Amino acid sequence: MWEKIYMLFEPLLDKYKTYLKQFYGILRFLQVAERFTLLFLLMILFNAYEFFYIVPGMEDFSRNQKYIDPYWFNIILMAAGAVILIFFAAACGKLLREKRELNLVSTLEGNFPELRTKLSTACDNKQNFNIVTDKLFKDVYEQLADVKIKKLIPGRQILSAFLVLLLFSGSIVFCIVEGFSFGISPSHLIEKIPDLPEGKASGQLENESSEEIDYGVETVIIKNGEQIEMEINPSLGLGFTNRIDSGTAGEFYESSNGSKKGFRYSQTYTEDLPEEYEPLIKQYFEKLSS
């Protein structure tokens, strides 16, 4: 008698478990399809088919084969690549994660308070047949028969995954039919990577020479029918200014002492020069001020 009651109780659990597994299987399928369509869409948008031409001989095969249009050949390559990546990711996930089975007892007890502790206790004592377990099996069986198992179906998750799958699938169809993709591809990204200069790449320092300043002043004048080359000697780096500190002024006076008697230092720099020098000096200052 007691065994007969349990024989009705256990098949009911198996029935519920099979029913829920079907819907969770549909959900997993939609989630995998969703990842595939997303990856496939990204490949189309970013012209990822170029990665496949790294394989030796692939470019020649694509150019020489006459069965498929090159555009559709690239689409097939990207679809195959997305399948391989999804399969590889799923395989790695199974290896890294422990296999999780649907724990129907915990699920039922968590969603139906009337079964809490009773269902697990009945399953733990399924080999013990006595008056106590007989009463327990009867109560659990009656409560299980009244359970609305459809409440445990992941309906919202299935619906959302289906809608996202439709969105990605529609985007893929649009991109393929219209030939739409972003102007970005692996080859373009590689071209945008700047090359390091040879000296810096090898760790050598480059000798940078400062550019000489060309004021465009003519250094040839004509005096008494002869061409005379003139050269303006470099100054102390102060330019023409009336603000000179004591140390610099000393160096300035020492270097110029005895060279020209007509030199005077005051608020305005003047010097007794031949009149032939006047156009040159005028041109020099005009260039400085421009």
Side-chain angles (χ1 to χ4, degrees):
M1 178 66 179
W2 298 326
E3 295 181 4
K4 184 178 180 181
I5 295 174
Y6 182 75
M7 288 176 63
L8 294 174
F9 159 66
E10 190 174 31
L12 188 58
L13 285 177
D14 292 338
K15 180 181 177 181
Y16 287 163
K17 189 173 185 178
T18 302
Y19 179 78
L20 292 178
K21 273 187 172 182
Q22 292 176 353
F23 287 94
Y24 277 100
I26 294 172
L27 176 61
R28 283 194 295 270
F29 172 78
L30 291 175
Q31 289 174 340
V32 172
E34 177 185 333
R35 297 187 187 103
F36 165 76
T37 51
L38 174 60
L39 182 59
F40 188 26
L41 177 62
L42 292 176
M43 284 185 169
I44 294 174
L45 292 175
F46 294 98
N47 303 295
Y49 66 88
E50 292 185 0
F51 284 116
F52 296 94
Y53 288 98
I54 300 175
V55 179
M58 180 62 71
E59 187 173 357
D60 294 336
F61 176 76
S62 174
R63 186 168 48 249
N64 297 328
Q65 62 87 25
K66 305 298 181 182
Y67 303 101
I68 307 174
D69 183 78
Y71 175 76
W72 287 102
F73 184 80
N74 292 335
I75 296 295
I76 294 173
L77 283 180
M78 289 186 286
V83 171
I84 293 172
L85 290 177
I86 291 298
F87 177 79
F88 181 75
C92 292
K94 285 187 177 181
L95 292 175
L96 297 177
R97 293 195 307 265
E98 296 182 359
K99 189 176 181 180
R100 297 177 61 184
E101 290 286 343
L102 176 63
N103 193 335
L104 182 61
V105 174
S106 298
T107 303
L108 290 172
E109 287 185 343
N111 289 275
F112 303 101
E114 62 273 13
L115 291 173
R116 193 164 299 166
T117 68
K118 288 184 179 181
L119 183 57
S120 57
T121 303
C123 292
D124 293 338
N125 293 275
K126 59 184 178 181
Q127 301 298 333
N128 300 323
F129 302 105
N130 51 51
I131 298 175
V132 177
T133 57
D134 178 43
K135 179 67 168 60
L136 178 62
F137 292 158
K138 285 181 179 180
D139 292 343
V140 170
Y141 176 76
E142 291 175 357
Q143 291 172 352
L144 278 176
D146 294 334
V147 162
K148 295 180 180 179
I149 195 64
K150 292 183 179 180
K151 181 181 177 181
L152 301 181
I153 295 175
R156 291 184 178 179
Q157 292 175 292
I158 291 175
L159 179 61
S160 62
F162 180 71
L163 293 176
V164 172
L165 178 61
L166 283 181
L167 177 62
F168 289 157
S169 300
S171 301
I172 290 172
V173 172
F174 171 79
C175 291
I176 292 176
V177 172
E178 298 295 331
F180 176 80
S181 65
F182 296 144
I184 301 174
S185 64
S187 60
H188 290 161
L189 294 178
I190 293 174
E191 290 175 358
K192 290 183 179 296
I193 298 176
D195 295 331
L196 291 176
E198 185 177 354
K200 294 182 179 179
S202 59
Q204 301 175 357
L205 296 178
E206 296 181 353
N207 294 327
E208 297 181 357
S209 58
S210 59
E211 297 182 357
E212 296 183 356
I213 301 175
D214 183 13
Y215 294 103
V217 179
E218 296 291 339
T219 59
V220 178
I221 63 174
I222 298 175
K223 183 177 182 180
N224 299 328
E226 296 181 359
Q227 291 186 352
I228 302 175
E229 294 185 0
M230 298 182 58
E231 184 180 21
I232 300 177
N233 295 324
S235 65
L236 298 177
L238 299 175
F240 291 90
T241 175
N242 61 357
R243 292 186 295 273
I244 303 179
D245 56 21
S246 58
T248 306
E251 295 180 6
F252 189 87
Y253 283 120
E254 289 177 3
S255 62
S256 59
N257 186 22
S259 60
K260 292 188 187 313
K261 295 182 179 180
F263 174 80
R264 293 183 302 166
Y265 176 74
S266 63
Q267 295 296 325
T268 303
Y269 175 80
T270 60
E271 187 172 353
D272 294 335
L273 296 173
E275 60 181 3
E276 292 86 357
Y277 285 74
E278 183 177 351
L280 174 65
I281 296 173
K282 182 178 180 181
Q283 184 182 8
Y284 177 80
F285 280 97
E286 287 178 349
K287 292 291 184 180
L288 283 179
S289 61
S290 61

